[in-house]
Amino acid sequence: MRELLYNREFRNVLVEVAKVGATQALTEIGKLTPFISKSEAYRKYGRKYVDRWIRLGVLTVKGEDNQKKQIDRVEIQAIASSTSLADYINSQEFKAKGIKINISEALEQDKIK
């Protein structure tokens, strides 16, 4: 049973990595624009999360005050995937083992160093 759980976890990680890689490839060949608007990021990932990632300094927003704010498509997808992965790791199976990953805390510590 435990092996089945780990196989599923590993598959989920690979799926997220493949999605980010596909986005990167499509961006490089011009099938996707390299940037999305801040409002599109809000719709896709949630305003609460996007604002938190910006506040923590892990997500870069490009554009002047009076210009449309743009966010790197691959960057935000990678951040969202890593946050989802951390949430998943903190699920019941890992909590039972006493393992906890706090992505926001880890990012704050990196920012301080």
Side-chain angles (χ1 to χ4, degrees):
M1 177 69 175
R2 190 166 285 207
E3 185 175 312
L4 182 63
L5 178 67
Y6 292 131
N7 287 339
R8 188 175 71 222
E9 292 168 7
F10 185 64
R11 186 198 73 213
N12 290 340
V13 170
L14 290 178
V15 166
E16 290 300 317
V17 169
K19 286 179 184 177
V20 173
T23 300
Q24 176 72 40
L26 290 169
T27 301
E28 287 178 4
I29 64 169
K31 296 293 182 183
L32 287 175
T33 59
F35 296 98
I36 62 173
S37 67
K38 193 174 180 184
S39 58
E40 185 179 345
Y42 283 157
R43 282 191 301 277
K44 188 167 185 174
Y45 300 102
R47 184 181 200 101
K48 176 176 91 171
Y49 297 109
V50 172
D51 286 343
R52 182 182 335 148
W53 298 331
I54 292 168
R55 189 178 64 252
L56 291 172
V58 295
L59 181 61
T60 309
V61 179
K62 294 169 178 47
E64 299 299 320
D65 288 337
N66 55 353
Q67 291 180 333
K68 185 176 179 180
K69 305 294 186 216
Q70 294 188 321
I71 295 172
D72 184 283
R73 182 184 299 274
V74 175
E75 180 183 17
I76 194 167
Q77 187 176 5
I79 292 167
S81 294
S82 64
T83 301
S84 297
L85 179 60
D87 289 342
Y88 181 74
I89 288 172
N90 289 325
S91 67
Q92 299 303 333
E93 179 68 22
F94 288 91
K95 284 182 181 175
K97 294 178 184 175
I99 299 170
K100 176 133 177 78
I101 296 175
N102 186 329
I103 193 85
S104 298
E105 216 174 83
L107 293 170
E108 278 294 316
Q109 289 174 357
D110 282 348
K111 194 175 176 182
I112 294 170
K113 290 180 182 178

